[in-house]
Each structure stands twice: as structure tokens, then as C-alpha cells.
């Protein structure tokens, strides 16, 4: 099941954060986890995205991130 959210913040290091409605903590994502030919440079803060949530040793990450 794909979750939806918005790009909350982008960094110049190739990762960013996605805000999800009803969640206080933003979700980390890395440019390696973009899907469907999406490029990191194509993303802007406020863009709506779809993604899956993956549990890692550092916490939850967004993977298979695509524009919604």
C-alpha cells in the first residue's frame, strides 16, 4: 500500500524529508529510493509524493518514492 505525503524539506546532499498528514515526525528519504525514473533534481518542496514505508535500524524511511 502506498502512502501519500508532501516534500517537507530537501537538502543539497541528496536526501530529504516527507511530511505525512496525521504524523508529527517527517519521514526520511534518500535519492537512491526514488522510483519510476524520478530524479532528485525534479523534486521541489511542497510536491505531493507517493511512497512505501520501510523500517530500518535508524527508523522509518520512505522508499519507492514517486510523484503523486
Amino acid at each position: 500500500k502506498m502512502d501519500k505525503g508532501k516534500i517537507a524539506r530537501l537538502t543539497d546532499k541528496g536526501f530529504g524529508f516527507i511530511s505525512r498528514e496525521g504524523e508529527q515526525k517527517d519521514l526520511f528519504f534518500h535519492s537512491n529510493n526514488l522510483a519510476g525514473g524520478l530524479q532528485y533534481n525534479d523534486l521541489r518542496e511542497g510536491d505531493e509524493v507517493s511512497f512505501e514505508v520501510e523500517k530500518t535500524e535508524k527508523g522509518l524511511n520512505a522508499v519507492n518514492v514517486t510523484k503523486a
Side-chain angles (χ1 to χ4, degrees):
K1 173 188 163 297
M2 299 293 275
D3 283 9
K4 291 196 183 308
K6 286 187 178 179
I7 301 293
R9 199 169 44 143
L10 296 168
T11 70
D12 57 6
K13 295 183 169 53
F15 64 88
F17 297 89
I18 297 171
S19 64
R20 298 181 289 169
E21 209 168 295
E23 298 285 337
Q24 294 203 343
K25 199 169 179 198
D26 290 345
L27 201 57
F28 173 87
F29 76 95
H30 192 275
S31 57
N32 291 344
N33 292 321
L34 300 178
L38 182 61
Q39 299 294 312
Y40 186 78
N41 291 338
D42 295 338
L43 292 171
R44 299 286 173 263
E45 290 178 6
D47 282 353
E48 293 196 9
V49 290
S50 296
F51 54 90
E52 294 174 301
V53 178
E54 179 180 87
K55 196 172 217 164
T56 70
E57 57 194 32
K58 292 183 179 177
L60 298 177
N61 288 351
V63 297
N64 296 325
V65 179
T66 59
K67 277 199 181 179

